Amino acid sequence: MEPLIITTAITGAATVPTLTPYLPWKTQDIIDSAVSSAEAGAAIVHIHGRNPLDGSPSSAPEVFAEIMTGIKARSDVVICMTTGGAPTMTVQERTANVARFAPEMCSFNLGSMNFALHPPLKRIKEWRFEWEPKYLEASKDFVFKNTFYDLEHLCNLVREHRTKPELEVYDVGHLYNLAHIVGEGMIRSPMHIQFVMGVLGGIGTMPEDLTFLKRKADTLFGPTSYTWSVCATSSGQFNLAPISIQMGGHVRVGLEDNIYLRKGVLAESNAQLVERAGRMAGDMGRAVASPTEARRILGLKGKDQVGY
Ligand code: KMH
Ligand code: ZN
């Protein structure tokens, strides 16, 4: 089995600052958290931007430029830039940074869906920033838009910039969407699929949800034509990680998807979550991949080929 690639999703757009005091959202904190995650064993960092004044999601090129160059200067870690952005952004805003920065990897969301973030509104009454409850409430009526038109646009971008897509599958229909664009010759092999589980609007986090997706992907693409990884919301993350580790998949952890180290205990950093994934791998006899090994396993173009 190949060594385990651990990705950390540093800040995302679904976790709002009131949910955990440990969420990095100031630009320097995002950079520091990415670097310490890499030191803890992450080979890839999945990056979103945040407005440094109030932590709201941002696609501003200057924010991304600072984050990407800041990480690159201090670490060899692979940077995977989001194109999912946030509910508040258009597809154009979400994807424009790929052309600006030509990163080694970027996320690639495979279908339109509900993407609801409102459940914390029931239990939290006091918010750190005014935008947070409004943003969560608005997500009830949000459709995360990733039409075939959008998929085609992103296929062109990743091909042009030799950026490897983190193919995000939130439900079984997304595998069929992927099969369609593969059939059209729009995506290159070998592919890297990220099963994103537990989003309110997608598949759940039961073990059989994962084994079903994996079996379906094997049927559609053939088991050796892709690498795969699992991330999941909340407790689903560390329930599914050992299954993925055992089955030859990779894992993504991080405060974007899950704020708990274990039941009821907040993770105090992204690095802590990476360390836990690394310990699991060690206990199960699987080595953890360095960024260099991750580049080889995923066939990335290399850090010297990016546009920042
Ligand atoms: N926060 C994840 C559930 C993206 O950045 O493209 C989804 C995600 C989207 O990672
Ligand atoms: Zn993301």
Side-chain angles (χ1 to χ4, degrees), residues 20-23 255 259 261 265-273:
T20 170
Y22 305 112
L23 181 75
L255 296 167
I259 60 176
L261 185 60
V265 180
L266 288 175
E268 293 182 17
S269 66
N270 279 301
Q272 258 190 354
L273 295 168

Side-chain angles (χ1 to χ4, degrees), residues 102-163:
E104 286 185 87
M105 295 185 76
C106 72
S107 70
F108 189 123
N109 295 273
L110 279 160
S112 300
M113 60 187 287
N114 290 343
F115 204 124
L117 309 172
H118 62 275
L121 288 167
K122 268 204 179 137
R123 57 183 175 86
I124 296 176
K125 296 297 162 220
E126 282 191 31
W127 297 90
R128 190 159 166 200
F129 298 106
E130 237 179 79
W131 64 268
E132 297 177 72
K134 292 182 199 153
Y135 174 77
L136 300 187
E137 182 66 38
S139 75
K140 258 191 208 174
D141 196 31
F142 174 62
V143 178
F144 186 31
K145 181 179 171 302
N146 297 288
T147 61
F148 279 105
Y149 180 84
D150 302 325
L151 303 189
E152 200 173 320
H153 168 64
L154 200 45
C155 284
N156 291 336
L157 272 176
V158 298
R159 196 168 46 243
E160 187 178 340
H161 299 285
R162 294 190 298 130
T163 296

Side-chain angles (χ1 to χ4, degrees), residues 11-68:
T11 184
T15 307
V16 297
T18 298
L19 296 183
T20 170
Y22 305 112
L23 181 75
W25 53 265
K26 292 188 176 149
T27 306
Q28 193 57 50
D29 292 342
I30 291 173
I31 297 167
D32 291 344
S33 187
V35 171
S36 48
S37 293
E39 286 164 358
I44 303 174
V45 288
H46 169 105
I47 292 296
H48 286 241
R50 298 264 186 174
N51 178 336
L53 298 177
D54 65 3
S56 60
S58 168
S59 59
E62 57 279 13
V63 168
F64 273 87
E66 209 177 322
I67 294 173
M68 316 275 284

Side-chain angles (χ1 to χ4, degrees), residues 14 46 48 82-85 107-109 115 144 168 170 196 199 252 256-257:
H46 169 105
H48 286 241
T82 183
T83 64
S107 70
F108 189 123
N109 295 273
F115 204 124
F144 186 31
E168 299 199 301
Y170 299 74
V196 184
V199 169
R252 169 173 128 179
E256 166 166 347
D257 307 314

